[in-house]
Amino acid sequence: IVGTLSPWLTWFTTTMTITDRRVMLRHGVVVRRGHDVMIDSLIDVSWQATLFDRMMGCGTLILTTPSDQMVLNDVPGARRVVDLFTDLTDNGYGEYLNDYCE
């Protein structure tokens, strides 16, 4: 039971919020932690997905800034989220969020 409860609890208590200016990651049960990355500071956005991830429709996002790296595991539609970041950084803010957050 512990083997199945731990991943579920991690997934249930982790949130990722993407706005037109930043990415906010919040996680933890007893101790809540947060990590924010400004969209303007991103120098690389990459993703990877194992065979199991692809079957589940998720993947891992790696957001790199000049001073930091944020790794987000089990992100639903990881490839689509990478496309969102590409649009936000290449073409400006705002209008693309509505297309991806339907």
mmCIF file of all heavy atoms in Angstrom, residues 9-30:
data_model
loop_
_atom_site.group_PDB
_atom_site.id
_atom_site.type_symbol
_atom_site.label_atom_id
_atom_site.label_comp_id
_atom_site.label_asym_id
_atom_site.label_seq_id
_atom_site.Cartn_x
_atom_site.Cartn_y
_atom_site.Cartn_z
ATOM 1 N N LEU A 9 0.152 10.534 -3.464
ATOM 2 C CA LEU A 9 0.204 11.697 -2.581
ATOM 3 C C LEU A 9 1.078 12.799 -3.179
ATOM 4 O O LEU A 9 0.723 13.979 -3.135
ATOM 5 C CB LEU A 9 0.732 11.288 -1.205
ATOM 6 C CG LEU A 9 0.552 12.280 -0.073
ATOM 7 C CD1 LEU A 9 -0.914 12.632 0.113
ATOM 8 C CD2 LEU A 9 1.122 11.707 1.212
ATOM 9 N N THR A 10 2.195 12.416 -3.783
ATOM 10 C CA THR A 10 3.053 13.391 -4.456
ATOM 11 C C THR A 10 2.300 14.055 -5.596
ATOM 12 O O THR A 10 2.323 15.278 -5.748
ATOM 13 C CB THR A 10 4.325 12.706 -4.992
ATOM 14 O OG1 THR A 10 5.030 12.132 -3.895
ATOM 15 C CG2 THR A 10 5.219 13.692 -5.711
ATOM 16 N N TRP A 11 1.633 13.260 -6.417
ATOM 17 C CA TRP A 11 0.880 13.804 -7.543
ATOM 18 C C TRP A 11 -0.251 14.709 -7.059
ATOM 19 O O TRP A 11 -0.480 15.790 -7.603
ATOM 20 C CB TRP A 11 0.310 12.664 -8.383
ATOM 21 C CG TRP A 11 -0.591 13.128 -9.465
ATOM 22 C CD1 TRP A 11 -0.230 13.623 -10.684
ATOM 23 C CD2 TRP A 11 -2.020 13.171 -9.418
ATOM 24 N NE1 TRP A 11 -1.348 13.963 -11.401
ATOM 25 C CE2 TRP A 11 -2.467 13.697 -10.644
ATOM 26 C CE3 TRP A 11 -2.968 12.809 -8.461
ATOM 27 C CZ2 TRP A 11 -3.810 13.871 -10.932
ATOM 28 C CZ3 TRP A 11 -4.291 12.989 -8.754
ATOM 29 C CH2 TRP A 11 -4.697 13.509 -9.974
ATOM 30 N N PHE A 12 -0.950 14.292 -6.024
ATOM 31 C CA PHE A 12 -2.107 15.031 -5.528
ATOM 32 C C PHE A 12 -1.728 16.372 -4.909
ATOM 33 O O PHE A 12 -2.504 17.320 -4.950
ATOM 34 C CB PHE A 12 -2.867 14.163 -4.509
ATOM 35 C CG PHE A 12 -4.163 14.746 -4.059
ATOM 36 C CD1 PHE A 12 -5.255 14.786 -4.916
ATOM 37 C CD2 PHE A 12 -4.304 15.280 -2.793
ATOM 38 C CE1 PHE A 12 -6.464 15.332 -4.510
ATOM 39 C CE2 PHE A 12 -5.509 15.822 -2.374
ATOM 40 C CZ PHE A 12 -6.591 15.848 -3.233
ATOM 41 N N THR A 13 -0.543 16.467 -4.334
ATOM 42 C CA THR A 13 -0.141 17.691 -3.639
ATOM 43 C C THR A 13 0.777 18.581 -4.477
ATOM 44 O O THR A 13 1.331 19.537 -3.962
ATOM 45 C CB THR A 13 0.559 17.353 -2.311
ATOM 46 O OG1 THR A 13 1.722 16.570 -2.580
ATOM 47 C CG2 THR A 13 -0.377 16.620 -1.381
ATOM 48 N N THR A 14 0.950 18.273 -5.744
ATOM 49 C CA THR A 14 1.805 19.077 -6.623
ATOM 50 C C THR A 14 0.937 19.829 -7.622
ATOM 51 O O THR A 14 0.073 19.238 -8.268
ATOM 52 C CB THR A 14 2.800 18.182 -7.383
ATOM 53 O OG1 THR A 14 3.602 17.490 -6.437
ATOM 54 C CG2 THR A 14 3.688 18.999 -8.295
ATOM 55 N N THR A 15 1.181 21.130 -7.721
ATOM 56 C CA THR A 15 0.478 21.936 -8.722
ATOM 57 C C THR A 15 1.484 22.721 -9.549
ATOM 58 O O THR A 15 2.508 23.184 -9.034
ATOM 59 C CB THR A 15 -0.504 22.928 -8.079
ATOM 60 O OG1 THR A 15 0.207 23.808 -7.224
ATOM 61 C CG2 THR A 15 -1.588 22.213 -7.303
ATOM 62 N N MET A 16 1.188 22.850 -10.827
ATOM 63 C CA MET A 16 1.968 23.674 -11.727
ATOM 64 C C MET A 16 1.008 24.665 -12.363
ATOM 65 O O MET A 16 -0.007 24.259 -12.938
ATOM 66 C CB MET A 16 2.640 22.835 -12.809
ATOM 67 C CG MET A 16 3.416 23.690 -13.797
ATOM 68 S SD MET A 16 4.158 22.784 -15.162
ATOM 69 C CE MET A 16 2.729 22.214 -16.043
ATOM 70 N N THR A 17 1.335 25.939 -12.253
ATOM 71 C CA THR A 17 0.507 26.984 -12.831
ATOM 72 C C THR A 17 1.341 27.739 -13.852
ATOM 73 O O THR A 17 2.453 28.182 -13.542
ATOM 74 C CB THR A 17 0.013 27.954 -11.738
ATOM 75 O OG1 THR A 17 -0.652 27.202 -10.723
ATOM 76 C CG2 THR A 17 -0.921 28.989 -12.314
ATOM 77 N N ILE A 18 0.800 27.886 -15.053
ATOM 78 C CA ILE A 18 1.479 28.635 -16.108
ATOM 79 C C ILE A 18 0.660 29.877 -16.391
ATOM 80 O O ILE A 18 -0.525 29.788 -16.707
ATOM 81 C CB ILE A 18 1.609 27.804 -17.399
ATOM 82 C CG1 ILE A 18 2.362 26.505 -17.117
ATOM 83 C CG2 ILE A 18 2.293 28.611 -18.489
ATOM 84 C CD1 ILE A 18 2.337 25.532 -18.267
ATOM 85 N N THR A 19 1.294 31.034 -16.250
ATOM 86 C CA THR A 19 0.661 32.290 -16.634
ATOM 87 C C THR A 19 1.435 32.856 -17.812
ATOM 88 O O THR A 19 2.392 32.237 -18.291
ATOM 89 C CB THR A 19 0.655 33.302 -15.465
ATOM 90 O OG1 THR A 19 1.998 33.754 -15.234
ATOM 91 C CG2 THR A 19 0.085 32.695 -14.199
ATOM 92 N N ASP A 20 1.041 34.020 -18.270
ATOM 93 C CA ASP A 20 1.773 34.622 -19.383
ATOM 94 C C ASP A 20 3.096 35.231 -18.940
ATOM 95 O O ASP A 20 3.867 35.705 -19.766
ATOM 96 C CB ASP A 20 0.916 35.664 -20.103
ATOM 97 C CG ASP A 20 0.484 36.787 -19.195
ATOM 98 O OD1 ASP A 20 0.571 36.636 -17.954
ATOM 99 O OD2 ASP A 20 0.047 37.820 -19.718
ATOM 100 N N ARG A 21 3.410 35.189 -17.646
ATOM 101 C CA ARG A 21 4.656 35.773 -17.140
ATOM 102 C C ARG A 21 5.550 34.802 -16.388
ATOM 103 O O ARG A 21 6.739 35.005 -16.314
ATOM 104 C CB ARG A 21 4.341 36.940 -16.228
ATOM 105 C CG ARG A 21 3.616 37.987 -16.995
ATOM 106 C CD ARG A 21 3.524 39.245 -16.346
ATOM 107 N NE ARG A 21 2.787 40.053 -17.334
ATOM 108 C CZ ARG A 21 2.378 41.231 -17.132
ATOM 109 N NH1 ARG A 21 2.616 41.799 -16.011
ATOM 110 N NH2 ARG A 21 1.729 41.879 -18.068
ATOM 111 N N ARG A 22 4.975 33.754 -15.809
ATOM 112 C CA ARG A 22 5.796 32.860 -14.988
ATOM 113 C C ARG A 22 5.216 31.452 -14.937
ATOM 114 O O ARG A 22 4.064 31.228 -15.258
ATOM 115 C CB ARG A 22 5.973 33.415 -13.582
ATOM 116 C CG ARG A 22 4.733 33.325 -12.733
ATOM 117 C CD ARG A 22 4.906 34.008 -11.408
ATOM 118 N NE ARG A 22 4.755 35.422 -11.670
ATOM 119 C CZ ARG A 22 5.223 36.389 -10.920
ATOM 120 N NH1 ARG A 22 5.852 36.116 -9.829
ATOM 121 N NH2 ARG A 22 5.052 37.639 -11.241
ATOM 122 N N VAL A 23 6.059 30.526 -14.477
ATOM 123 C CA VAL A 23 5.666 29.156 -14.189
ATOM 124 C C VAL A 23 5.845 28.979 -12.686
ATOM 125 O O VAL A 23 6.914 29.270 -12.144
ATOM 126 C CB VAL A 23 6.553 28.140 -14.928
ATOM 127 C CG1 VAL A 23 6.137 26.723 -14.592
ATOM 128 C CG2 VAL A 23 6.517 28.377 -16.415
ATOM 129 N N MET A 24 4.809 28.517 -12.026
ATOM 130 C CA MET A 24 4.856 28.349 -10.571
ATOM 131 C C MET A 24 4.634 26.882 -10.231
ATOM 132 O O MET A 24 3.646 26.297 -10.652
ATOM 133 C CB MET A 24 3.783 29.205 -9.907
ATOM 134 C CG MET A 24 3.979 30.686 -10.153
ATOM 135 S SD MET A 24 2.608 31.682 -9.570
ATOM 136 C CE MET A 24 1.426 31.412 -10.884
ATOM 137 N N LEU A 25 5.559 26.318 -9.488
ATOM 138 C CA LEU A 25 5.457 24.936 -9.031
ATOM 139 C C LEU A 25 5.311 24.952 -7.522
ATOM 140 O O LEU A 25 6.090 25.590 -6.817
ATOM 141 C CB LEU A 25 6.709 24.154 -9.426
ATOM 142 C CG LEU A 25 6.757 22.691 -9.000
ATOM 143 C CD1 LEU A 25 5.682 21.891 -9.730
ATOM 144 C CD2 LEU A 25 8.123 22.105 -9.262
ATOM 145 N N ARG A 26 4.306 24.246 -7.006
ATOM 146 C CA ARG A 26 4.067 24.123 -5.570
ATOM 147 C C ARG A 26 3.908 22.646 -5.243
ATOM 148 O O ARG A 26 3.177 21.935 -5.935
ATOM 149 C CB ARG A 26 2.791 24.867 -5.149
ATOM 150 C CG ARG A 26 2.769 26.332 -5.517
ATOM 151 C CD ARG A 26 3.711 27.137 -4.640
ATOM 152 N NE ARG A 26 3.631 28.556 -4.937
ATOM 153 C CZ ARG A 26 4.470 29.205 -5.740
ATOM 154 N NH1 ARG A 26 5.430 28.552 -6.342
ATOM 155 N NH2 ARG A 26 4.348 30.500 -5.944
ATOM 156 N N HIS A 27 4.607 22.185 -4.202
ATOM 157 C CA HIS A 27 4.504 20.777 -3.834
ATOM 158 C C HIS A 27 4.815 20.594 -2.357
ATOM 159 O O HIS A 27 5.393 21.462 -1.722
ATOM 160 C CB HIS A 27 5.426 19.905 -4.686
ATOM 161 C CG HIS A 27 6.875 20.278 -4.577
ATOM 162 N ND1 HIS A 27 7.715 19.673 -3.702
ATOM 163 C CD2 HIS A 27 7.608 21.205 -5.227
ATOM 164 C CE1 HIS A 27 8.920 20.190 -3.820
ATOM 165 N NE2 HIS A 27 8.885 21.139 -4.738
ATOM 166 N N GLY A 28 4.392 19.465 -1.827
ATOM 167 C CA GLY A 28 4.671 19.113 -0.440
ATOM 168 C C GLY A 28 3.411 18.862 0.351
ATOM 169 O O GLY A 28 2.349 19.378 0.038
ATOM 170 N N VAL A 29 3.559 18.061 1.398
ATOM 171 C CA VAL A 29 2.448 17.746 2.293
ATOM 172 C C VAL A 29 2.671 18.444 3.622
ATOM 173 O O VAL A 29 1.924 19.331 3.998
ATOM 174 C CB VAL A 29 2.319 16.217 2.505
ATOM 175 C CG1 VAL A 29 1.198 15.905 3.468
ATOM 176 C CG2 VAL A 29 2.101 15.512 1.181
ATOM 177 N N VAL A 30 3.710 18.057 4.322
ATOM 178 C CA VAL A 30 4.013 18.656 5.619
ATOM 179 C C VAL A 30 4.689 20.005 5.427
ATOM 180 O O VAL A 30 4.323 20.997 6.044
ATOM 181 C CB VAL A 30 4.910 17.711 6.454
ATOM 182 C CG1 VAL A 30 5.298 18.359 7.766
ATOM 183 C CG2 VAL A 30 4.196 16.388 6.693
#
